Amino acid sequence: LSDEAMVILADVGLTACHSLERLIFWNNGFGPTGATALAQALPSCRSLTVLHVTDNAVGDAGAMQLAGALGDMASLVSLVLTDNGITGAGAVALAAALAAVPAVNPLASVVYSGTDGDALANTIGENGAKAFGEMLAQGAGLIDLVLSGTGVNDVGATSLATGLAQNHVLKQLVLHGNAIGDEGAIALARSLPRATALFRLVLTENNLSDAGVTALSDAVADHGRLGSLDVARNPRVTQPVLDALAASIAFRGKGQTAHANVRDEL
C-alpha cells in the first residue's frame, strides 16, 4: 500500500471497522502520511486487539501519530512496530504514550525492534531508552517488552534497569542483538531483586564478558521469580562462567520451571 492507498483505506474502510480485531501491515511501503491516516482511523476500531506495522517506513513522524492514538484504543493487547525507520525521537514519543495508557486497558505486549542490516531498522538512542525506563518506572501495564536490535548500549541498559527496579508487572524483557556490555549487565543484575514480576530476561548477542554474566548469576539467587536468563552468543564469556550461571538457575529453580540459555538455543 502506498501512502495514497492507505489514506483511502483509512477514510473508507477503517472508520467503520467497529468489529475488526486484527490489523497487520507487513512490507506495504507506506510512510508518515499513511501512518497518520491510520492513526486517525484507529479509534474507530473499538474491538482491535492486535496492531502489527512491520517493514514499512513510518519514521518518527508516523510513530508519533500512532503513539498518540494508543490512549483511544481500549481493546489493544499487542503492538508491533518492527523495522519502520523509527529513531530516538519516535521511541521517546512511543514510551511517553505507553506510560499514559490507562491501567484498565489490556495492552500487554510491545515489540519495538530492528533487524540487523535492514535499512529501516528501528533505533532507540539513549534518550529513547531513558524514556522506556521511565515508562517502566511509572508502572505501565506491559507484560512483554521487546527492544531487540535497536542499539541499546550500556547507558540505555542502565536507564532500563532503573525503571525495571521499580516495576512489578513486566514478565519478559528482550534485549537481543544490542550493544550492552558489562556495565549495562551489572546495572540490570542490580535491578533483578526488585523486579518482582520479571520471569525472562534475554541478553543474547550483546557484548557481555565474564564480569557481566557473573553479576547476573549472583543476582539470580536473590530474585525468586526469574525463570529464564538468556546470554547465548556473547563470545567473550568463558565456559566456566556459563556453567556457573546454568547451575545457579537450575538450583534456584528447583520445583519450578527454570532455564539458563547459555548456548545457541534462541
Side-chain angles (χ1 to χ4, degrees):
L1 292 174
S2 64
D3 276 330
E4 292 78 9
M6 177 56 79
V7 169
I8 294 171
L9 174 63
D11 287 345
V12 176
L14 295 184
T15 52
C17 64
H18 307 311
S19 61
L20 190 67
E21 295 183 358
R22 295 168 62 90
L23 270 175
I24 298 176
F25 296 103
W26 181 77
N27 196 24
N28 294 112
F30 63 85
T33 300
T36 298
L38 173 61
Q40 291 170 348
L42 285 174
S44 298
C45 302
R46 295 191 291 267
S47 300
L48 193 69
T49 60
V50 173
L51 175 62
H52 291 190
V53 181
T54 298
D55 238 350
N56 289 285
V58 305
D60 288 335
M64 291 175 186
Q65 294 296 322
L66 291 170
L70 291 179
D72 296 319
M73 300 173 68
S75 297
L76 191 67
V77 175
S78 174
L79 173 66
V80 175
L81 293 173
T82 296
D83 292 339
N84 277 288
I86 306 170
T87 70
V92 169
L94 177 61
L98 291 170
V101 170
V104 296
N105 284 25
L107 184 59
S109 176
V110 171
V111 178
Y112 175 91
S113 57
T115 303
D116 187 28
D118 193 312
L120 291 171
N122 295 338
T123 58
I124 193 168
E126 292 179 2
N127 287 337
K130 181 180 178 182
F132 270 94
E134 292 171 348
M135 178 268 294
L136 291 175
Q138 291 176 34
L142 291 184
I143 294 173
D144 180 15
L145 177 60
V146 179
L147 299 173
S148 297
T150 53
V152 177
N153 59 15
D154 283 333
V155 174
T158 299
S159 295
L160 291 170
T162 299
L164 191 61
Q166 302 172 66
N167 183 283
H168 307 295
V169 179
L170 192 73
K171 293 183 178 180
Q172 175 173 261
L173 177 60
V174 179
L175 297 170
H176 163 81
N178 282 295
I180 300 170
D182 290 334
E183 181 183 342
I186 290 169
L188 288 165
R190 289 172 177 164
S191 75
L192 291 183
R194 289 176 285 173
T196 54
L198 192 70
F199 183 82
R200 184 177 188 226
L201 176 62
V202 178
L203 290 166
T204 45
E205 289 190 21
N206 278 278
N207 193 33
L208 309 184
S209 77
D210 286 354
V213 174
T214 297
L216 290 164
S217 182
D218 291 344
V220 165
D222 297 323
H223 184 58
R225 291 182 180 269
L226 193 70
S228 179
L229 177 59
D230 297 351
V231 295
R233 286 169 272 163
N234 282 281
R236 296 198 299 143
V237 184
T238 63
Q239 194 59 48
V241 170
L242 293 176
D243 291 342
L245 172 60
S248 177
I249 287 276
F251 176 77
R252 208 274 312 139
K254 281 188 175 182
Q256 59 180 298
T257 301
H259 176 61
N261 180 10
V262 298
R263 297 178 178 85
D264 196 5
E265 300 177 16
L266 188 66

